[in-house]
Amino acid sequence: MEKAIIYVVSDSVGETAELVTKAALSQFMSENDYDLYRIPYVENIEVLRGAVYHAKQLGAMIGFTLVNPMFREFLIQESANKNVECVDIMGPMLQAMERKFQKKPKQEPGLIHKLDEDYFSRVEAIEFAVRYDDGRDPRGVEQADIVLIGVSRTSKTPLSQYLAHKQLKVANVPIVPEVEPPSSLFNIPTHKCIGLRISPEKLNGIRKERLKSLGLDDQAAYANLNRIESELDYFDKIIHQLGCPVIDVSNKAVEETANIILNMINQPYWDLHDNKASE
């Protein structure tokens, strides 16, 4: 028996049409029994006309996913005129949803792939935030879209995760008097480094609660006010060297701080693609 020939036509990638077609073919034959040709990114009628012509010459059938109604109608009509078997894979579903939801479809090819890209970009950003959390690997500083710096308990980690869900790669670096910040921190554009400032009294309360939650003495040096003031003085020294923007997080929720940062990165001098400030 000669191999079956199927053309898969789409105004996007054509992946959906190919998967559905292969699933249906599996009910009739093995992969060795057919040839499947994908014609993606259809942008004009002539491509559709050519697909029908070749299908007619080769005795092939056509399966298609076209969101453009003009393209759909043309391909169906042209196939009928040439007596070529043609299956609209997505059209009936679109029409049913249009009736059900009482609204017109967007008619934009490739939207599902845009969603997929967003998903994978978000996952990548989340993994980045975990990998470069708390200064554990200084290489993340130069790769990040944003670098958060601050003393312990200024919400660097939850803020990094929140921004990661917005598809931003965030590294965070703790500022500790006994530890020099990574040298790479001084090599990135200053606006991409954001300091998180907090009042000594607020930080004292947060750290005491943290120690209690761990079953430790809240009088430990970690929550000592003199120690905290020393850390904050060192933080201010680093900020002065960097010349980077600072946000006071003393009385702000993570979401509020994140929104401030998101507004900052919408400024024209931001460029998240090559880590260089726009001229």
Side-chain angles (χ1 to χ4, degrees):
M1 188 178 83
E2 290 186 6
K3 279 190 173 185
I5 300 174
I6 300 93
Y7 284 98
V8 167
V9 180
S10 176
D11 43 15
S12 182
V13 181
E15 206 169 64
T16 301
E18 181 172 332
L19 288 172
V20 172
T21 301
K22 283 184 173 180
L25 283 167
S26 69
Q27 299 296 315
F28 298 92
M29 59 190 74
S30 70
E31 287 192 20
N32 296 326
D33 297 327
Y34 66 84
D35 288 324
L36 189 149
Y37 300 101
R38 194 193 298 190
I39 304 175
Y41 303 115
V42 172
E43 294 182 346
N44 57 68
I45 293 294
E46 291 310 308
V47 173
L48 300 177
R49 196 190 307 277
V52 175
Y53 172 81
H54 288 293
K56 177 66 176 178
Q57 298 302 308
L58 297 173
M61 68 175 292
I62 297 172
F64 70 89
T65 53
L66 296 168
V67 299
N68 185 315
M70 183 178 70
F71 286 176
R72 286 207 311 270
E73 290 169 13
F74 176 84
L75 185 55
I76 291 169
Q77 189 60 53
E78 183 73 2
S79 297
N81 292 342
K82 296 293 192 293
N83 198 30
V84 171
E85 191 72 52
C86 183
V87 181
D88 185 352
I89 294 171
M90 196 160 62
M93 180 67 79
L94 287 172
Q95 292 161 2
M97 288 183 174
E98 184 175 345
R99 293 192 298 271
K100 177 67 176 176
F101 304 138
Q102 294 294 298
K103 61 189 296 187
K104 294 287 184 181
K106 296 177 181 178
Q107 297 178 5
E108 295 179 38
L111 286 180
I112 188 169
H113 295 286
K114 290 179 183 176
L115 292 174
D116 288 345
E117 288 168 11
D118 286 347
Y119 170 77
F120 287 114
S121 178
R122 187 162 55 250
V123 169
E124 183 182 3
I126 292 170
E127 290 176 346
F128 186 95
V130 172
R131 187 180 308 121
Y132 300 112
D133 181 46
D134 208 30
R136 65 181 63 175
D137 187 341
R139 291 176 299 179
V141 169
E142 294 184 340
Q143 299 172 32
D145 296 325
I146 298 170
V147 180
L148 303 176
I149 67 170
V151 300
S152 176
R153 311 311 295 175
T154 48
S155 299
K156 296 187 300 299
T157 296
L159 189 54
S160 297
Q161 288 293 327
Y162 187 98
L163 292 169
H165 280 84
K166 304 296 183 181
Q167 302 175 44
L168 295 170
K169 294 180 179 178
V170 184
N172 70 77
V173 177
I175 300 300
V176 184
E178 293 79 13
V179 180
E180 283 287 326
S183 58
S184 53
L185 193 61
F186 300 90
N187 296 329
I188 62 173
T190 55
H191 63 275
K192 289 194 176 183
C193 180
I194 298 174
L196 304 177
R197 178 176 281 124
I198 190 169
S199 71
E201 296 76 19
K202 183 70 174 181
L203 185 55
N204 180 244
I206 292 173
R207 289 190 176 181
K208 282 187 174 182
E209 289 303 315
R210 177 59 175 165
L211 289 171
K212 286 179 183 177
S213 71
L214 296 173
L216 301 174
D217 183 1
D218 66 2
Q219 299 302 311
Y222 181 67
N224 180 275
L225 194 56
N226 289 333
R227 166 65 186 185
I228 287 173
E229 289 176 343
S230 173
E231 289 185 35
L232 294 176
D233 286 344
Y234 183 66
F235 167 82
D236 286 337
K237 176 185 173 183
I238 297 299
I239 290 296
H240 179 73
Q241 291 176 5
L242 292 170
C244 66
V246 178
I247 300 172
D248 191 327
V249 300
S250 301
N251 298 299
K252 290 183 176 66
V254 168
E255 295 84 358
E256 189 177 357
T257 305
N259 284 331
I260 293 172
I261 293 172
L262 291 171
N263 287 332
M264 289 169 64
I265 68 174
N266 285 327
Q267 299 303 311
Y269 53 74
W270 277 81
D271 184 347
L272 297 179
H273 300 292
D274 62 4
N275 273 346
K276 293 179 182 177
S278 301
E279 296 295 332

